[in-house]
Amino acid sequence: MGVKRLKIDTKIQPEKKKTKKKNKRGKRSSVVDNDDRISQLPDEILTDVLSLLSLKEAGRTSVLSSRWMNLWKHTHSLDFDGQCALRGISISNEGKKKSLEEVESQYKLLKSEKRKYMKWVNSVVQSHKSPTVKQFRINYSLDTSDRCSINRWLEFAVSRQVQSLELDFPIPTYWGDCYRFPEELFAPSSNKVFDVKSLKELSFKNVNVSG
């Protein structure tokens, strides 16, 4: 039974480059195909490989050729590790005393970088094409202004029949409130009730589920 290919918009593939191989006498005889054999694999296999990479690494493969341009948008794993992405930016006073100006400067830098990260996550979610998502993970230092965006990410994950959902929201020292899980998404009275039968793994850290 043949392998089905995903419907992915790609441009015309470049012509195969062929070179003639020299024999022992220096004469050119047989023809050797130098085309990229990895790119010839079925889309399902390539997306499985890309799903093993980080999102940014998978996204970088789009520049390889028109064949790879949209493949990363079909990955089965979406891991948004904001803690790792924003590592090194801290407004904590632990270990070293900082002036008020230094704290304010770092706070502005952190806020700016978080906005950029949120914008990137939103662009990934909006451009994602796979009908299903096996793993959806958010590890992010929460801020009050992030709730609506995170709720939309969860709506997206559940609508894609997510199998593994992990929410980890380390609480900043300057803000002590936990993220409240949007239980109204699954309430019978809600206009946005999603089927969660596909969910197999669920992990919450610093998440309020009691309302």
Side-chain angles (χ1 to χ4, degrees):
M1 188 170 82
V3 179
K4 294 182 179 180
R5 296 177 65 86
L6 297 170
K7 293 182 180 180
I8 298 177
D9 296 330
T10 55
K11 297 180 181 179
I12 299 176
Q13 301 299 314
E15 296 182 357
K16 296 180 178 180
K17 297 180 181 180
K18 297 182 178 180
T19 57
K20 292 184 177 180
K21 185 179 179 180
K22 291 184 179 181
N23 56 23
K24 293 182 179 180
R25 297 181 180 180
K27 296 181 180 181
R28 297 183 180 273
S29 54
S30 60
V31 177
V32 178
D33 191 352
N34 288 333
D35 201 6
D36 181 6
R37 295 188 178 183
I38 294 180
S39 296
Q40 296 176 19
L41 293 172
D43 294 338
E44 286 84 354
I45 294 179
L46 293 179
T47 53
D48 283 343
V49 173
L50 292 178
S51 295
L52 300 176
L53 304 176
S54 69
L55 283 171
K56 289 194 174 182
E57 289 174 333
R60 292 190 186 106
T61 63
S62 62
V63 302
L64 295 177
S65 70
S66 57
R67 172 76 174 88
W68 291 82
M69 186 177 297
N70 294 307
L71 281 174
W72 73 275
K73 298 177 182 179
H74 294 260
T75 56
H76 308 303
S77 176
L78 296 176
D79 187 348
F80 299 112
D81 194 342
Q83 287 296 100
C84 181
L86 301 174
R87 184 177 297 166
I89 305 177
S90 174
I91 62 174
S92 173
N93 290 324
E94 295 180 3
K96 180 182 177 181
K97 291 185 177 181
K98 299 176 182 178
S99 65
L100 180 59
E101 291 76 11
E102 289 177 320
V103 173
E104 290 179 347
S105 176
Q106 286 188 316
Y107 178 79
K108 290 180 181 179
L109 176 60
L110 178 61
K111 194 171 182 179
S112 174
E113 291 302 315
K114 288 184 70 173
R115 280 199 299 266
K116 292 178 183 178
Y117 185 78
M118 295 289 287
K119 186 177 180 180
W120 174 74
V121 174
N122 286 329
S123 68
V124 171
V125 169
Q126 291 171 6
S127 62
H128 197 261
K129 303 297 183 183
S130 178
T132 59
V133 173
K134 292 181 179 179
Q135 179 189 28
F136 191 87
R137 176 175 178 265
I138 305 175
N139 181 18
Y140 188 72
S141 182
L142 196 64
D143 199 349
T144 51
S145 60
D146 303 331
R147 294 179 183 273
C148 291
S149 293
I150 293 174
N151 287 347
R152 287 196 298 269
W153 300 348
L154 289 178
E155 287 184 24
F156 162 81
V158 177
S159 68
R160 298 301 172 92
Q161 301 175 19
V162 63
Q163 297 180 22
S164 176
L165 178 62
E166 180 179 346
L167 305 180
D168 184 0
F169 300 115
I171 303 175
T173 56
Y174 57 89
W175 187 59
D177 194 12
C178 289
Y179 172 77
R180 187 183 71 83
F181 185 78
E183 58 186 28
E184 60 271 13
L185 294 179
F186 310 105
S189 59
S190 173
N191 294 325
K192 296 181 179 180
V193 180
F194 297 101
D195 186 1
V196 292
K197 293 180 180 179
S198 61
L199 193 60
K200 299 178 180 179
E201 296 180 7
L202 184 63
S203 176
F204 288 164
K205 295 180 181 179
N206 297 316
V207 176
N208 186 355
V209 295
S210 61

